[in-house]
Amino acid sequence: QKEVEQDPGPLSVPEGAIVSLNCTYSNSAFQYFMWYRQYSRKGPELLMYTYSSGNKEDGRFTAQVDKSSKYISLFIRDSQPSDSATYLCAMTFGNKLVFGAGTILRVKS
Amino acid sequence: GAVVSQHPSWVICKSGTSVKIECRSLDFQATTMFWYRQFPKQSLMLMATSNEGSKATYEQGVEKDKFLINHASLTLSTLTVTSAHPEDSSFYICSARVLAGDEQYFGPGTRLTVT
């Protein structure tokens, strides 16, 4: 069993839809939780960063962490074709990041 | 803010030669930088952690004599792939951790092709 589980997709949605991306994890020692967006042949871009249970909002993005259930989510409102990318959840363990496999998102216009 | 650059973005080299990749944090200082490797349609694989002024820590299975890492300053780390072979062809990405936090910011990546 992997430490971080993430459905690789692909997830296809129409433009304007609300997108829900999720990760589950097994290690309760993970401290900080991040979401990255990666376009093809580019480095990951940090979207959201949080360390406590609850919601954090930034523009069209909302990150949700439920430490009791070991579950994190990223919601994207009013999705756009430019949101089409791979979304990686990541969690810190000491100095390191542990990544999910990444979910491929395709937003169709 | 929090910009990380990599140079070169793409390099082609002949088998047996060495290639150096630079990673710079442009607008912040980073005591810790990380080097990752990514194969197509796969997630990032951590190769090594480099701390400014000390030796890098390599992940299990990564040859430290093949992948030389130097972290000479708070804004610069380099990865040298020595005696490159076609199986070393990959996408190499660095990241830098902010000094007083846990966020890691990634560079744009370097595509290495060994012929």
Side-chain angles (χ1 to χ4, degrees), chain A residues 29-34 36 46 48-51 90-98, chain B residues 28 32 34 36 95-106:
Chain A
F30 289 144
Q31 294 179 294
Y32 300 89
F33 305 89
M34 303 173 200
Y36 288 88
L46 181 62
M48 300 291 285
Y49 162 72
T50 186
Y51 57 88
M91 306 172 190
T92 63
F93 184 70
N95 213 14
K96 300 178 183 179
L97 280 179
V98 179
Chain B
F28 66 100
T32 307
F34 304 84
Y36 295 83
S95 71
R97 182 182 174 194
V98 297
L99 266 182
D102 292 274
E103 307 99 290
Q104 282 190 33
Y105 294 91
F106 285 81

PDB file of all heavy atoms in Angstrom, chain A residues 29-34 36 46 48-51 90-98, chain B residues 28 32 34 36 95-106:
ATOM      1  N   ALA A  29       1.867  10.920  10.628  1.00  0.00           N
ATOM      2  CA  ALA A  29       2.975  11.828  10.932  1.00  0.00           C
ATOM      3  C   ALA A  29       3.142  12.920   9.875  1.00  0.00           C
ATOM      4  O   ALA A  29       3.929  13.850  10.070  1.00  0.00           O
ATOM      5  CB  ALA A  29       4.278  11.051  11.068  1.00  0.00           C
ATOM      6  N   PHE A  30       2.454  12.818   8.755  1.00  0.00           N
ATOM      7  CA  PHE A  30       2.529  13.886   7.755  1.00  0.00           C
ATOM      8  C   PHE A  30       2.060  15.187   8.398  1.00  0.00           C
ATOM      9  O   PHE A  30       1.052  15.216   9.094  1.00  0.00           O
ATOM     10  CB  PHE A  30       1.674  13.576   6.531  1.00  0.00           C
ATOM     11  CG  PHE A  30       2.219  12.475   5.675  1.00  0.00           C
ATOM     12  CD1 PHE A  30       1.366  11.586   5.046  1.00  0.00           C
ATOM     13  CD2 PHE A  30       3.585  12.334   5.477  1.00  0.00           C
ATOM     14  CE1 PHE A  30       1.850  10.562   4.242  1.00  0.00           C
ATOM     15  CE2 PHE A  30       4.083  11.320   4.685  1.00  0.00           C
ATOM     16  CZ  PHE A  30       3.217  10.424   4.064  1.00  0.00           C
ATOM     17  N   GLN A  31       2.804  16.266   8.121  1.00  0.00           N
ATOM     18  CA  GLN A  31       2.522  17.508   8.830  1.00  0.00           C
ATOM     19  C   GLN A  31       1.848  18.565   7.966  1.00  0.00           C
ATOM     20  O   GLN A  31       0.915  19.213   8.408  1.00  0.00           O
ATOM     21  CB  GLN A  31       3.837  18.083   9.354  1.00  0.00           C
ATOM     22  CG  GLN A  31       4.498  17.232  10.429  1.00  0.00           C
ATOM     23  CD  GLN A  31       5.794  17.857  10.878  1.00  0.00           C
ATOM     24  OE1 GLN A  31       6.745  17.947  10.103  1.00  0.00           O
ATOM     25  NE2 GLN A  31       5.846  18.299  12.124  1.00  0.00           N
ATOM     26  N   TYR A  32       2.377  18.762   6.772  1.00  0.00           N
ATOM     27  CA  TYR A  32       1.891  19.838   5.921  1.00  0.00           C
ATOM     28  C   TYR A  32       1.385  19.241   4.619  1.00  0.00           C
ATOM     29  O   TYR A  32       1.900  18.233   4.153  1.00  0.00           O
ATOM     30  CB  TYR A  32       3.000  20.854   5.663  1.00  0.00           C
ATOM     31  CG  TYR A  32       3.506  21.483   6.936  1.00  0.00           C
ATOM     32  CD1 TYR A  32       4.552  20.913   7.649  1.00  0.00           C
ATOM     33  CD2 TYR A  32       2.909  22.639   7.433  1.00  0.00           C
ATOM     34  CE1 TYR A  32       4.988  21.470   8.828  1.00  0.00           C
ATOM     35  CE2 TYR A  32       3.353  23.204   8.613  1.00  0.00           C
ATOM     36  CZ  TYR A  32       4.390  22.609   9.309  1.00  0.00           C
ATOM     37  OH  TYR A  32       4.817  23.170  10.487  1.00  0.00           O
ATOM     38  N   PHE A  33       0.412  19.888   4.040  1.00  0.00           N
ATOM     39  CA  PHE A  33      -0.278  19.333   2.879  1.00  0.00           C
ATOM     40  C   PHE A  33      -0.311  20.366   1.764  1.00  0.00           C
ATOM     41  O   PHE A  33      -0.661  21.525   1.998  1.00  0.00           O
ATOM     42  CB  PHE A  33      -1.701  18.914   3.266  1.00  0.00           C
ATOM     43  CG  PHE A  33      -1.730  17.973   4.430  1.00  0.00           C
ATOM     44  CD1 PHE A  33      -1.784  18.463   5.730  1.00  0.00           C
ATOM     45  CD2 PHE A  33      -1.653  16.611   4.236  1.00  0.00           C
ATOM     46  CE1 PHE A  33      -1.771  17.595   6.817  1.00  0.00           C
ATOM     47  CE2 PHE A  33      -1.649  15.732   5.312  1.00  0.00           C
ATOM     48  CZ  PHE A  33      -1.704  16.232   6.605  1.00  0.00           C
ATOM     49  N   MET A  34       0.075  19.919   0.580  1.00  0.00           N
ATOM     50  CA  MET A  34       0.177  20.841  -0.535  1.00  0.00           C
ATOM     51  C   MET A  34      -0.474  20.255  -1.777  1.00  0.00           C
ATOM     52  O   MET A  34      -0.579  19.030  -1.929  1.00  0.00           O
ATOM     53  CB  MET A  34       1.662  21.119  -0.840  1.00  0.00           C
ATOM     54  CG  MET A  34       2.427  21.653   0.343  1.00  0.00           C
ATOM     55  SD  MET A  34       4.200  21.766   0.026  1.00  0.00           S
ATOM     56  CE  MET A  34       4.811  21.809   1.699  1.00  0.00           C
ATOM     57  N   TYR A  36      -0.042  20.730  -5.963  1.00  0.00           N
ATOM     58  CA  TYR A  36       0.740  21.292  -7.060  1.00  0.00           C
ATOM     59  C   TYR A  36       0.005  21.024  -8.370  1.00  0.00           C
ATOM     60  O   TYR A  36      -0.683  20.011  -8.535  1.00  0.00           O
ATOM     61  CB  TYR A  36       2.129  20.629  -7.138  1.00  0.00           C
ATOM     62  CG  TYR A  36       3.085  21.018  -6.046  1.00  0.00           C
ATOM     63  CD1 TYR A  36       3.117  20.318  -4.832  1.00  0.00           C
ATOM     64  CD2 TYR A  36       3.980  22.070  -6.221  1.00  0.00           C
ATOM     65  CE1 TYR A  36       4.008  20.667  -3.832  1.00  0.00           C
ATOM     66  CE2 TYR A  36       4.876  22.424  -5.222  1.00  0.00           C
ATOM     67  CZ  TYR A  36       4.883  21.717  -4.038  1.00  0.00           C
ATOM     68  OH  TYR A  36       5.773  22.071  -3.045  1.00  0.00           O
ATOM     69  N   LEU A  46       3.238  25.343  -7.104  1.00  0.00           N
ATOM     70  CA  LEU A  46       2.522  25.257  -5.840  1.00  0.00           C
ATOM     71  C   LEU A  46       1.226  26.057  -5.906  1.00  0.00           C
ATOM     72  O   LEU A  46       1.233  27.245  -6.169  1.00  0.00           O
ATOM     73  CB  LEU A  46       3.407  25.781  -4.702  1.00  0.00           C
ATOM     74  CG  LEU A  46       2.806  25.733  -3.304  1.00  0.00           C
ATOM     75  CD1 LEU A  46       2.491  24.308  -2.880  1.00  0.00           C
ATOM     76  CD2 LEU A  46       3.757  26.386  -2.298  1.00  0.00           C
ATOM     77  N   MET A  48      -1.626  25.366  -3.402  1.00  0.00           N
ATOM     78  CA  MET A  48      -2.183  25.538  -2.063  1.00  0.00           C
ATOM     79  C   MET A  48      -1.284  24.852  -1.051  1.00  0.00           C
ATOM     80  O   MET A  48      -0.679  23.805  -1.343  1.00  0.00           O
ATOM     81  CB  MET A  48      -3.589  24.926  -1.982  1.00  0.00           C
ATOM     82  CG  MET A  48      -4.604  25.524  -2.932  1.00  0.00           C
ATOM     83  SD  MET A  48      -5.052  27.210  -2.487  1.00  0.00           S
ATOM     84  CE  MET A  48      -6.115  26.920  -1.082  1.00  0.00           C
ATOM     85  N   TYR A  49      -1.264  25.402   0.143  1.00  0.00           N
ATOM     86  CA  TYR A  49      -0.401  24.882   1.190  1.00  0.00           C
ATOM     87  C   TYR A  49      -1.126  25.068   2.521  1.00  0.00           C
ATOM     88  O   TYR A  49      -1.564  26.167   2.840  1.00  0.00           O
ATOM     89  CB  TYR A  49       0.915  25.657   1.162  1.00  0.00           C
ATOM     90  CG  TYR A  49       1.756  25.563   2.399  1.00  0.00           C
ATOM     91  CD1 TYR A  49       2.427  24.392   2.700  1.00  0.00           C
ATOM     92  CD2 TYR A  49       1.913  26.653   3.247  1.00  0.00           C
ATOM     93  CE1 TYR A  49       3.219  24.303   3.819  1.00  0.00           C
ATOM     94  CE2 TYR A  49       2.705  26.573   4.373  1.00  0.00           C
ATOM     95  CZ  TYR A  49       3.363  25.399   4.656  1.00  0.00           C
ATOM     96  OH  TYR A  49       4.151  25.304   5.766  1.00  0.00           O
ATOM     97  N   THR A  50      -1.284  24.003   3.269  1.00  0.00           N
ATOM     98  CA  THR A  50      -1.980  24.107   4.544  1.00  0.00           C
ATOM     99  C   THR A  50      -1.441  23.071   5.513  1.00  0.00           C
ATOM    100  O   THR A  50      -0.826  22.081   5.093  1.00  0.00           O
ATOM    101  CB  THR A  50      -3.499  23.943   4.354  1.00  0.00           C
ATOM    102  OG1 THR A  50      -4.163  24.176   5.582  1.00  0.00           O
ATOM    103  CG2 THR A  50      -3.840  22.534   3.864  1.00  0.00           C
ATOM    104  N   TYR A  51      -1.675  23.291   6.788  1.00  0.00           N
ATOM    105  CA  TYR A  51      -1.146  22.357   7.775  1.00  0.00           C
ATOM    106  C   TYR A  51      -2.190  21.905   8.787  1.00  0.00           C
ATOM    107  O   TYR A  51      -1.948  21.025   9.587  1.00  0.00           O
ATOM    108  CB  TYR A  51       0.049  22.946   8.521  1.00  0.00           C
ATOM    109  CG  TYR A  51      -0.233  24.253   9.211  1.00  0.00           C
ATOM    110  CD1 TYR A  51      -0.722  24.303  10.504  1.00  0.00           C
ATOM    111  CD2 TYR A  51       0.004  25.456   8.549  1.00  0.00           C
ATOM    112  CE1 TYR A  51      -0.981  25.501  11.114  1.00  0.00           C
ATOM    113  CE2 TYR A  51      -0.246  26.657   9.161  1.00  0.00           C
ATOM    114  CZ  TYR A  51      -0.746  26.689  10.443  1.00  0.00           C
ATOM    115  OH  TYR A  51      -1.011  27.885  11.042  1.00  0.00           O
ATOM    116  N   ALA A  90       0.754  16.521  -2.183  1.00  0.00           N
ATOM    117  CA  ALA A  90       2.046  16.249  -1.572  1.00  0.00           C
ATOM    118  C   ALA A  90       1.950  16.528  -0.080  1.00  0.00           C
ATOM    119  O   ALA A  90       1.203  17.409   0.354  1.00  0.00           O
ATOM    120  CB  ALA A  90       3.139  17.106  -2.206  1.00  0.00           C
ATOM    121  N   MET A  91       2.727  15.776   0.685  1.00  0.00           N
ATOM    122  CA  MET A  91       2.692  15.921   2.141  1.00  0.00           C
ATOM    123  C   MET A  91       4.115  15.889   2.659  1.00  0.00           C
ATOM    124  O   MET A  91       4.961  15.173   2.102  1.00  0.00           O
ATOM    125  CB  MET A  91       1.895  14.764   2.745  1.00  0.00           C
ATOM    126  CG  MET A  91       0.526  14.668   2.114  1.00  0.00           C
ATOM    127  SD  MET A  91      -0.423  13.246   2.565  1.00  0.00           S
ATOM    128  CE  MET A  91      -1.756  13.417   1.364  1.00  0.00           C
ATOM    129  N   THR A  92       4.361  16.643   3.697  1.00  0.00           N
ATOM    130  CA  THR A  92       5.716  16.689   4.213  1.00  0.00           C
ATOM    131  C   THR A  92       5.911  15.657   5.310  1.00  0.00           C
ATOM    132  O   THR A  92       5.038  15.420   6.150  1.00  0.00           O
ATOM    133  CB  THR A  92       6.082  18.069   4.770  1.00  0.00           C
ATOM    134  OG1 THR A  92       5.229  18.358   5.879  1.00  0.00           O
ATOM    135  CG2 THR A  92       5.945  19.141   3.731  1.00  0.00           C
ATOM    136  N   PHE A  93       7.077  15.038   5.251  1.00  0.00           N
ATOM    137  CA  PHE A  93       7.509  14.109   6.292  1.00  0.00           C
ATOM    138  C   PHE A  93       8.939  14.485   6.605  1.00  0.00           C
ATOM    139  O   PHE A  93       9.851  14.172   5.847  1.00  0.00           O
ATOM    140  CB  PHE A  93       7.386  12.665   5.805  1.00  0.00           C
ATOM    141  CG  PHE A  93       7.738  11.658   6.866  1.00  0.00           C
ATOM    142  CD1 PHE A  93       6.907  11.466   7.946  1.00  0.00           C
ATOM    143  CD2 PHE A  93       8.908  10.931   6.782  1.00  0.00           C
ATOM    144  CE1 PHE A  93       7.232  10.543   8.936  1.00  0.00           C
ATOM    145  CE2 PHE A  93       9.248  10.013   7.756  1.00  0.00           C
ATOM    146  CZ  PHE A  93       8.398   9.818   8.836  1.00  0.00           C
ATOM    147  N   GLY A  94       9.139  15.179   7.713  1.00  0.00           N
ATOM    148  CA  GLY A  94      10.452  15.729   7.992  1.00  0.00           C
ATOM    149  C   GLY A  94      10.790  16.746   6.920  1.00  0.00           C
ATOM    150  O   GLY A  94      10.028  17.670   6.658  1.00  0.00           O
ATOM    151  N   ASN A  95      11.907  16.519   6.265  1.00  0.00           N
ATOM    152  CA  ASN A  95      12.392  17.447   5.268  1.00  0.00           C
ATOM    153  C   ASN A  95      11.827  17.178   3.876  1.00  0.00           C
ATOM    154  O   ASN A  95      12.009  17.974   2.958  1.00  0.00           O
ATOM    155  CB  ASN A  95      13.915  17.297   5.223  1.00  0.00           C
ATOM    156  CG  ASN A  95      14.618  18.579   4.901  1.00  0.00           C
ATOM    157  OD1 ASN A  95      14.019  19.647   4.960  1.00  0.00           O
ATOM    158  ND2 ASN A  95      15.880  18.490   4.546  1.00  0.00           N
ATOM    159  N   LYS A  96      11.148  16.068   3.715  1.00  0.00           N
ATOM    160  CA  LYS A  96      10.821  15.600   2.371  1.00  0.00           C
ATOM    161  C   LYS A  96       9.347  15.729   2.047  1.00  0.00           C
ATOM    162  O   LYS A  96       8.497  15.809   2.918  1.00  0.00           O
ATOM    163  CB  LYS A  96      11.229  14.135   2.224  1.00  0.00           C
ATOM    164  CG  LYS A  96      12.695  13.866   2.442  1.00  0.00           C
ATOM    165  CD  LYS A  96      12.982  12.373   2.318  1.00  0.00           C
ATOM    166  CE  LYS A  96      14.447  12.088   2.615  1.00  0.00           C
ATOM    167  NZ  LYS A  96      14.744  10.648   2.528  1.00  0.00           N
ATOM    168  N   LEU A  97       9.096  15.751   0.735  1.00  0.00           N
ATOM    169  CA  LEU A  97       7.733  15.708   0.243  1.00  0.00           C
ATOM    170  C   LEU A  97       7.421  14.298  -0.226  1.00  0.00           C
ATOM    171  O   LEU A  97       8.219  13.682  -0.917  1.00  0.00           O
ATOM    172  CB  LEU A  97       7.561  16.650  -0.951  1.00  0.00           C
ATOM    173  CG  LEU A  97       7.381  18.140  -0.674  1.00  0.00           C
ATOM    174  CD1 LEU A  97       7.256  18.890  -1.994  1.00  0.00           C
ATOM    175  CD2 LEU A  97       6.166  18.394   0.188  1.00  0.00           C
ATOM    176  N   VAL A  98       6.253  13.822   0.128  1.00  0.00           N
ATOM    177  CA  VAL A  98       5.771  12.539  -0.384  1.00  0.00           C
ATOM    178  C   VAL A  98       4.597  12.863  -1.302  1.00  0.00           C
ATOM    179  O   VAL A  98       3.626  13.496  -0.888  1.00  0.00           O
ATOM    180  CB  VAL A  98       5.314  11.608   0.763  1.00  0.00           C
ATOM    181  CG1 VAL A  98       4.806  10.292   0.198  1.00  0.00           C
ATOM    182  CG2 VAL A  98       6.465  11.377   1.741  1.00  0.00           C
TER     183      VAL A  98
ATOM    184  N   PHE B  28      14.591  34.210  -3.057  1.00  0.00           N
ATOM    185  CA  PHE B  28      14.592  33.785  -1.667  1.00  0.00           C
ATOM    186  C   PHE B  28      15.806  32.898  -1.427  1.00  0.00           C
ATOM    187  O   PHE B  28      16.422  32.395  -2.371  1.00  0.00           O
ATOM    188  CB  PHE B  28      13.298  33.045  -1.300  1.00  0.00           C
ATOM    189  CG  PHE B  28      13.105  31.708  -2.001  1.00  0.00           C
ATOM    190  CD1 PHE B  28      13.384  30.517  -1.354  1.00  0.00           C
ATOM    191  CD2 PHE B  28      12.637  31.656  -3.307  1.00  0.00           C
ATOM    192  CE1 PHE B  28      13.201  29.303  -1.986  1.00  0.00           C
ATOM    193  CE2 PHE B  28      12.447  30.450  -3.953  1.00  0.00           C
ATOM    194  CZ  PHE B  28      12.738  29.272  -3.302  1.00  0.00           C
ATOM    195  N   THR B  32      17.949  24.313   1.903  1.00  0.00           N
ATOM    196  CA  THR B  32      17.753  22.955   1.418  1.00  0.00           C
ATOM    197  C   THR B  32      17.174  22.975   0.013  1.00  0.00           C
ATOM    198  O   THR B  32      16.179  23.653  -0.235  1.00  0.00           O
ATOM    199  CB  THR B  32      16.805  22.153   2.340  1.00  0.00           C
ATOM    200  OG1 THR B  32      17.275  22.231   3.684  1.00  0.00           O
ATOM    201  CG2 THR B  32      16.746  20.693   1.910  1.00  0.00           C
ATOM    202  N   PHE B  34      16.322  20.220  -3.390  1.00  0.00           N
ATOM    203  CA  PHE B  34      16.050  18.821  -3.693  1.00  0.00           C
ATOM    204  C   PHE B  34      16.158  18.591  -5.195  1.00  0.00           C
ATOM    205  O   PHE B  34      15.817  19.466  -5.996  1.00  0.00           O
ATOM    206  CB  PHE B  34      14.634  18.446  -3.237  1.00  0.00           C
ATOM    207  CG  PHE B  34      14.355  18.715  -1.781  1.00  0.00           C
ATOM    208  CD1 PHE B  34      13.966  19.978  -1.364  1.00  0.00           C
ATOM    209  CD2 PHE B  34      14.489  17.711  -0.846  1.00  0.00           C
ATOM    210  CE1 PHE B  34      13.701  20.241  -0.019  1.00  0.00           C
ATOM    211  CE2 PHE B  34      14.231  17.959   0.498  1.00  0.00           C
ATOM    212  CZ  PHE B  34      13.844  19.227   0.913  1.00  0.00           C
ATOM    213  N   TYR B  36      14.905  15.953  -8.203  1.00  0.00           N
ATOM    214  CA  TYR B  36      13.953  14.914  -8.550  1.00  0.00           C
ATOM    215  C   TYR B  36      14.190  14.474  -9.992  1.00  0.00           C
ATOM    216  O   TYR B  36      14.735  15.210 -10.819  1.00  0.00           O
ATOM    217  CB  TYR B  36      12.514  15.427  -8.448  1.00  0.00           C
ATOM    218  CG  TYR B  36      12.044  15.801  -7.068  1.00  0.00           C
ATOM    219  CD1 TYR B  36      12.330  17.049  -6.536  1.00  0.00           C
ATOM    220  CD2 TYR B  36      11.289  14.920  -6.308  1.00  0.00           C
ATOM    221  CE1 TYR B  36      11.884  17.414  -5.266  1.00  0.00           C
ATOM    222  CE2 TYR B  36      10.827  15.269  -5.039  1.00  0.00           C
ATOM    223  CZ  TYR B  36      11.133  16.516  -4.534  1.00  0.00           C
ATOM    224  OH  TYR B  36      10.672  16.865  -3.282  1.00  0.00           O
ATOM    225  N   SER B  95      13.942  21.544  -6.605  1.00  0.00           N
ATOM    226  CA  SER B  95      13.051  22.371  -5.798  1.00  0.00           C
ATOM    227  C   SER B  95      13.866  22.991  -4.673  1.00  0.00           C
ATOM    228  O   SER B  95      14.944  22.507  -4.327  1.00  0.00           O
ATOM    229  CB  SER B  95      11.881  21.562  -5.230  1.00  0.00           C
ATOM    230  OG  SER B  95      12.326  20.690  -4.214  1.00  0.00           O
ATOM    231  N   ALA B  96      13.341  24.071  -4.135  1.00  0.00           N
ATOM    232  CA  ALA B  96      13.996  24.766  -3.042  1.00  0.00           C
ATOM    233  C   ALA B  96      12.989  24.994  -1.933  1.00  0.00           C
ATOM    234  O   ALA B  96      11.847  25.385  -2.187  1.00  0.00           O
ATOM    235  CB  ALA B  96      14.559  26.096  -3.532  1.00  0.00           C
ATOM    236  N   ARG B  97      13.439  24.732  -0.724  1.00  0.00           N
ATOM    237  CA  ARG B  97      12.564  24.906   0.432  1.00  0.00           C
ATOM    238  C   ARG B  97      12.852  26.263   1.054  1.00  0.00           C
ATOM    239  O   ARG B  97      14.015  26.614   1.287  1.00  0.00           O
ATOM    240  CB  ARG B  97      12.830  23.793   1.432  1.00  0.00           C
ATOM    241  CG  ARG B  97      11.956  23.816   2.657  1.00  0.00           C
ATOM    242  CD  ARG B  97      12.346  22.693   3.590  1.00  0.00           C
ATOM    243  NE  ARG B  97      11.611  22.771   4.844  1.00  0.00           N
ATOM    244  CZ  ARG B  97      11.936  22.095   5.929  1.00  0.00           C
ATOM    245  NH1 ARG B  97      12.964  21.293   5.914  1.00  0.00           N
ATOM    246  NH2 ARG B  97      11.219  22.216   7.019  1.00  0.00           N
ATOM    247  N   VAL B  98      11.794  27.012   1.346  1.00  0.00           N
ATOM    248  CA  VAL B  98      11.996  28.328   1.945  1.00  0.00           C
ATOM    249  C   VAL B  98      12.621  28.182   3.325  1.00  0.00           C
ATOM    250  O   VAL B  98      12.401  27.185   4.014  1.00  0.00           O
ATOM    251  CB  VAL B  98      10.672  29.120   2.024  1.00  0.00           C
ATOM    252  CG1 VAL B  98      10.136  29.380   0.630  1.00  0.00           C
ATOM    253  CG2 VAL B  98       9.652  28.381   2.859  1.00  0.00           C
ATOM    254  N   LEU B  99      13.372  29.189   3.734  1.00  0.00           N
ATOM    255  CA  LEU B  99      14.149  29.108   4.968  1.00  0.00           C
ATOM    256  C   LEU B  99      13.292  28.851   6.197  1.00  0.00           C
ATOM    257  O   LEU B  99      13.556  27.978   6.984  1.00  0.00           O
ATOM    258  CB  LEU B  99      14.920  30.419   5.169  1.00  0.00           C
ATOM    259  CG  LEU B  99      16.353  30.446   4.639  1.00  0.00           C
ATOM    260  CD1 LEU B  99      17.004  31.790   4.949  1.00  0.00           C
ATOM    261  CD2 LEU B  99      17.175  29.319   5.215  1.00  0.00           C
ATOM    262  N   ALA B 100      12.254  29.621   6.383  1.00  0.00           N
ATOM    263  CA  ALA B 100      11.473  29.518   7.619  1.00  0.00           C
ATOM    264  C   ALA B 100      10.099  28.942   7.350  1.00  0.00           C
ATOM    265  O   ALA B 100       9.095  29.438   7.839  1.00  0.00           O
ATOM    266  CB  ALA B 100      11.344  30.898   8.258  1.00  0.00           C
ATOM    267  N   GLY B 101      10.067  27.888   6.566  1.00  0.00           N
ATOM    268  CA  GLY B 101       8.771  27.287   6.269  1.00  0.00           C
ATOM    269  C   GLY B 101       8.946  25.900   5.713  1.00  0.00           C
ATOM    270  O   GLY B 101      10.041  25.330   5.749  1.00  0.00           O
ATOM    271  N   ASP B 102       7.871  25.338   5.193  1.00  0.00           N
ATOM    272  CA  ASP B 102       7.914  23.983   4.647  1.00  0.00           C
ATOM    273  C   ASP B 102       7.559  23.934   3.172  1.00  0.00           C
ATOM    274  O   ASP B 102       7.605  22.870   2.565  1.00  0.00           O
ATOM    275  CB  ASP B 102       6.960  23.087   5.433  1.00  0.00           C
ATOM    276  CG  ASP B 102       7.447  22.861   6.848  1.00  0.00           C
ATOM    277  OD1 ASP B 102       8.253  21.948   7.054  1.00  0.00           O
ATOM    278  OD2 ASP B 102       7.041  23.650   7.727  1.00  0.00           O
ATOM    279  N   GLU B 103       7.203  25.073   2.611  1.00  0.00           N
ATOM    280  CA  GLU B 103       6.839  25.053   1.194  1.00  0.00           C
ATOM    281  C   GLU B 103       8.069  24.779   0.353  1.00  0.00           C
ATOM    282  O   GLU B 103       9.157  25.256   0.643  1.00  0.00           O
ATOM    283  CB  GLU B 103       6.244  26.393   0.749  1.00  0.00           C
ATOM    284  CG  GLU B 103       5.093  26.914   1.572  1.00  0.00           C
ATOM    285  CD  GLU B 103       5.577  27.954   2.559  1.00  0.00           C
ATOM    286  OE1 GLU B 103       6.280  27.596   3.525  1.00  0.00           O
ATOM    287  OE2 GLU B 103       5.258  29.137   2.349  1.00  0.00           O
ATOM    288  N   GLN B 104       7.848  24.004  -0.701  1.00  0.00           N
ATOM    289  CA  GLN B 104       8.902  23.771  -1.690  1.00  0.00           C
ATOM    290  C   GLN B 104       8.420  24.342  -3.017  1.00  0.00           C
ATOM    291  O   GLN B 104       7.292  24.096  -3.438  1.00  0.00           O
ATOM    292  CB  GLN B 104       9.180  22.277  -1.858  1.00  0.00           C
ATOM    293  CG  GLN B 104      10.016  21.661  -0.763  1.00  0.00           C
ATOM    294  CD  GLN B 104      10.449  20.257  -1.112  1.00  0.00           C
ATOM    295  OE1 GLN B 104      10.689  19.907  -2.274  1.00  0.00           O
ATOM    296  NE2 GLN B 104      10.558  19.419  -0.084  1.00  0.00           N
ATOM    297  N   TYR B 105       9.313  25.072  -3.637  1.00  0.00           N
ATOM    298  CA  TYR B 105       9.020  25.639  -4.949  1.00  0.00           C
ATOM    299  C   TYR B 105       9.921  24.972  -5.975  1.00  0.00           C
ATOM    300  O   TYR B 105      11.120  24.802  -5.744  1.00  0.00           O
ATOM    301  CB  TYR B 105       9.218  27.153  -4.931  1.00  0.00           C
ATOM    302  CG  TYR B 105       8.230  27.842  -4.031  1.00  0.00           C
ATOM    303  CD1 TYR B 105       8.537  28.083  -2.692  1.00  0.00           C
ATOM    304  CD2 TYR B 105       6.978  28.209  -4.502  1.00  0.00           C
ATOM    305  CE1 TYR B 105       7.614  28.685  -1.851  1.00  0.00           C
ATOM    306  CE2 TYR B 105       6.055  28.825  -3.662  1.00  0.00           C
ATOM    307  CZ  TYR B 105       6.374  29.048  -2.342  1.00  0.00           C
ATOM    308  OH  TYR B 105       5.454  29.640  -1.513  1.00  0.00           O
ATOM    309  N   PHE B 106       9.316  24.626  -7.088  1.00  0.00           N
ATOM    310  CA  PHE B 106      10.017  23.840  -8.093  1.00  0.00           C
ATOM    311  C   PHE B 106      10.519  24.687  -9.252  1.00  0.00           C
ATOM    312  O   PHE B 106       9.906  25.689  -9.619  1.00  0.00           O
ATOM    313  CB  PHE B 106       9.088  22.743  -8.637  1.00  0.00           C
ATOM    314  CG  PHE B 106       8.891  21.604  -7.690  1.00  0.00           C
ATOM    315  CD1 PHE B 106       7.978  21.702  -6.654  1.00  0.00           C
ATOM    316  CD2 PHE B 106       9.646  20.446  -7.816  1.00  0.00           C
ATOM    317  CE1 PHE B 106       7.803  20.648  -5.755  1.00  0.00           C
ATOM    318  CE2 PHE B 106       9.474  19.391  -6.929  1.00  0.00           C
ATOM    319  CZ  PHE B 106       8.558  19.497  -5.903  1.00  0.00           C
TER     320      PHE B 106
END
